[in-house]
Structure formats: structure tokens, C-alpha cells
Amino acid sequence: MSKKADKYIVQTLQEPANISSPTFKAMYERFAKRVLWMDSNVVEGAFQMNTAWYFGVPDLDPVFPEHTHSYDELIGFFGSNPDDPYDLGAKIEVVIDGETHLLTRTTMLFIPKGLPHMPLSIKRIDRPVFHFSIVMNPEYTAGAYQ
């Protein structure tokens, strides 16, 4: 029996529409597995969130170019070592406002609207890394997925 709140529960991936080229999508699938995507097209009124497992080094370096948003963003990279959840099991370089940061530990980044961020380079993956990004907007409208 269907319940009123079922429309708010997402358990299967609904691929985002028109955010990346077929070439980028094919390249992305060789190093990452998107788990779930949420935006106002999936659930009316929702803000946008992407979740994925990174399991390899992409063909493209950097994988995401520098860009800005007109909204705030939260980005996370979580290691999968149950004995040390802060060990990222990877080396990821991210640039924020022109400064390069090497991530080797579980990390969350807050990117205020208008702040230039990326490029992002995945240098090494030893164990799968859980990645998420959340934007305080009904849809993702920036140029990271090219």
C-alpha cells in the first residue's frame, strides 16, 4: 500500500538530466559509481545532492575544472576503512580560491557562493572513497560536469 510520504523517499538512482556530455559520463563511469541523486526534478522542493563511490583514478586530470556557483556547496570525501574512518585511502588534490590542498583524510569542504573552487585531481585511490556534494539550489547549474 502506498503511503503519503513515499514521494520523499529515494532508493534508486534517477540519473540527472542534461548536466554532462556523453563523453564525460562515459569517463566518469570508469572511476566512479553514482549511488543516488536528489534534486527538485526527483523530489519536488528538494535541493540538489549527489552521492558516489570513487574507486579509481580517472582518465581526465583534473576531472573537474575550476568553477563558481551562485549558491553554497558542501563537498565530502569519506574513507572506507572501518578501523580508521579518517584515513581517506586516497590522495585527492583540490584547489580552493587558487590554493591547492592535498586530501589524505576524510574531509568535508564548505564552499560559499561565489568562491572559485576546483580543479580536482584524483591522484591515487587505495580503497573506495565515498563522495557527496550538496548545493543549496533546486538543481546543479554549474560547469563541473563537462
Side-chain angles (χ1 to χ4, degrees):
M1 173 183 255
S2 183
K3 296 180 182 177
K4 229 174 18 172
D6 284 353
K7 64 184 177 184
Y8 301 116
I9 299 169
V10 176
Q11 296 180 316
T12 57
L13 175 61
Q14 296 178 49
E15 286 285 345
N18 303 319
I19 67 154
S20 63
S21 69
T23 302
F24 183 91
K25 185 177 177 183
M27 184 274 308
Y28 185 85
E29 290 172 353
R30 288 191 295 274
F31 79 92
K33 174 73 174 165
R34 183 168 281 127
V35 181
L36 294 173
W37 179 277
M38 173 73 76
D39 66 14
S40 63
N41 295 308
V42 176
V43 174
E44 186 177 340
F47 51 87
Q48 190 274 324
M49 181 175 185
N50 174 48
T51 61
W53 283 103
Y54 288 175
F55 54 82
V57 175
D59 304 339
L60 185 63
D61 183 35
V63 67
F64 298 115
E66 182 180 80
H67 58 276
T68 60
H69 307 283
S70 60
Y71 41 77
D72 296 336
E73 181 175 22
L74 184 64
I75 303 169
F77 301 95
F78 282 65
S80 59
N81 179 353
D83 296 323
D84 184 359
Y86 296 101
D87 175 16
L88 189 58
K91 285 189 178 182
I92 299 174
E93 275 186 5
V94 62
V95 178
I96 303 171
D97 202 17
E99 298 175 351
T100 301
H101 301 269
L102 180 63
L103 310 179
T104 60
R105 295 184 47 78
T106 290
T107 302
M108 285 198 300
L109 310 167
F110 175 68
I111 308 296
K113 66 181 176 182
L115 184 69
H117 58 288
M118 306 300 154
L120 180 126
S121 294
I122 300 172
K123 301 300 186 186
R124 191 182 86 228
I125 298 280
D126 300 325
R127 280 185 310 280
V129 171
F130 183 73
H131 164 69
F132 71 84
S133 62
I134 301 169
V135 299
M136 299 314 297
N137 202 52
E139 293 182 59
Y140 185 87
T141 58
Y145 301 96
Q146 295 182 4

